[in-house]
Amino acid sequence: MNTGLRHTLTQLGWLNAALYWLGRSLDKASAGRWSLHRYRFVAQYVGDQPLCAGRGADIDIAAHTWDQAVPAAYPRPAAVVRERFAQGAYSLAAWRHGRLAGYLWLVLDAYQEDEVRVRYRLPRADASWDFDVWIAPDERLGWAFPRLWDAARQQLRERGVRWTCSRISAFNPASLRAHARIGTVRLGDALFVRCGEWQWMFATVAPYIHLSRHDASFPQLTFDTGALADVAPPEPPCPPSKKSATS
C-alpha cells in the first residue's frame, strides 16, 4: 500500500476510504459527469457562553447582504451566492484589516443543497441550518472562527434558536475531528451517487432511498431537534475551528 492510500485509510477508515477512492475513480473516468458524496448530519447546541471572550478584537464581523457585491477572493461563484439569498439564507463575514478572513451561512426552516439534489427541512422554529463555513487558510489557527461563531450564536439566540444543524462531508477528516471537539449530536448519514442527470440517494433518514432523474426531482430530509432539548453536549471553552475550508 503506497503512502497516499495508507494515509487516506488512516484518516477516513476503510469504508469512507473505499467510497472516497471510488468517487475519485468515477469522476476521472466520466470526465466529471459521475460523482459520489457521503454526508454526516449533525446538530450543535447554541449555547449562552461566548467563545474566547475578548480575544480577536482586530476581527470585525459584518452581515453580507443580498445587495452587496461578492467580496474579492470569495471562494463561491456569484450565481451560487444569489441562489442562497433567494432561499432566504443570510451570511456573516469576518474581516481582518479589510481582508476577508472567513464567513458562514445560516438559514431557518429549510435549505436546498447546492452540491447534490436534496432539500433539508427543519420543522421546529428553534432550529436553524448552518452551511458552508469557510475560514481563510492562514486564519484557521487564529480567532476568526470563534469571533464569527460568537456573532452567529448571538443572533441565533436572539431569534430563539437552540440547535443549529449541518452536514459534513464524510471525506473531510479535519471537519469531522473539529465537529467532534466542539460537541455535536449525530442525526444521520446519506450517500449520493450522481451519474449524469440521474441521482441515487441512500440515507439513514426518511425517505431512505430516492432516485432522481432530473433537477425538479429531489428528496426532502427532515431533521426534528425536539428530542435533543435535554441532551445538550458540553462545549469546550475555545474550539479552534468548527470546519475546514469546506464542510
Side-chain angles (χ1 to χ4, degrees):
M1 184 182 295
N2 62 40
T3 302
L5 288 172
R6 185 164 55 248
H7 178 74
T8 302
L9 183 60
T10 300
Q11 292 283 304
L12 300 180
W14 71 268
L15 177 58
N16 284 333
L19 291 172
Y20 170 77
W21 286 110
L22 176 59
R24 289 276 303 267
S25 300
L26 289 173
D27 180 76
K28 184 175 181 179
S30 66
R33 283 180 51 79
W34 296 359
S35 63
L36 185 151
H37 305 270
R38 187 169 192 233
Y39 297 151
R40 177 172 299 172
F41 304 107
V42 299
Q44 181 191 353
Y45 185 70
V46 181
D48 293 302
Q49 298 301 315
L51 306 178
C52 310
R55 304 293 183 92
D58 60 338
I59 299 172
D60 297 317
I61 307 298
H64 176 204
T65 58
W66 66 270
D67 55 342
Q68 294 176 324
V70 175
Y74 201 80
R76 301 293 177 263
V80 170
V81 173
R82 288 194 298 269
E83 175 59 29
R84 291 175 177 179
F85 281 126
Q87 291 191 51
Y90 64 100
S91 179
L92 296 177
W95 298 87
R96 187 196 294 272
H97 307 307
R99 176 178 171 272
L100 183 65
Y103 65 77
L104 58 76
W105 285 83
L106 297 157
V107 67
L108 305 178
D109 183 45
Y111 170 59
Q112 192 84 23
E113 174 70 66
D114 53 29
E115 188 171 63
V116 298
R117 292 197 294 260
V118 63
R119 181 176 177 83
Y120 308 129
R121 177 176 173 269
L122 301 170
R124 293 178 59 90
D126 61 353
S128 71
W129 191 268
D130 70 86
F131 63 101
D132 196 14
V133 181
W134 179 87
I135 303 296
D138 58 345
E139 297 280 357
R140 290 175 191 169
L141 296 179
W143 300 103
F145 174 78
R147 288 277 290 117
L148 190 62
W149 193 239
D150 259 349
R153 295 203 317 173
Q154 180 179 348
Q155 289 194 10
L156 291 174
R157 293 292 291 193
E158 290 172 355
R159 292 171 178 240
V161 172
R162 294 298 177 265
W163 288 91
T164 181
C165 304
S166 55
R167 65 92 168 145
I168 324 168
S169 171
F171 305 146
N172 188 335
S175 181
L176 293 170
R177 288 194 300 269
H179 276 79
R181 284 195 297 268
I182 64 173
T184 54
V185 178
R186 190 168 178 171
L187 300 176
D189 301 85
L191 176 69
F192 292 86
V193 182
R194 300 195 67 174
C195 299
E197 293 299 313
W198 287 39
Q199 173 187 277
W200 287 266
M201 182 200 76
F202 306 91
T204 61
V205 182
Y208 307 112
I209 299 175
H210 185 273
L211 170 61
S212 168
R213 297 184 176 90
H214 50 80
D215 288 344
S217 171
F218 52 84
Q220 177 169 274
L221 304 182
T222 299
F223 298 97
D224 189 346
T225 57
L228 304 179
D230 297 322
V231 292
E235 292 182 284
C238 186
S241 175
K242 181 177 180 183
K243 305 178 184 176
S244 62
T246 54
S247 54

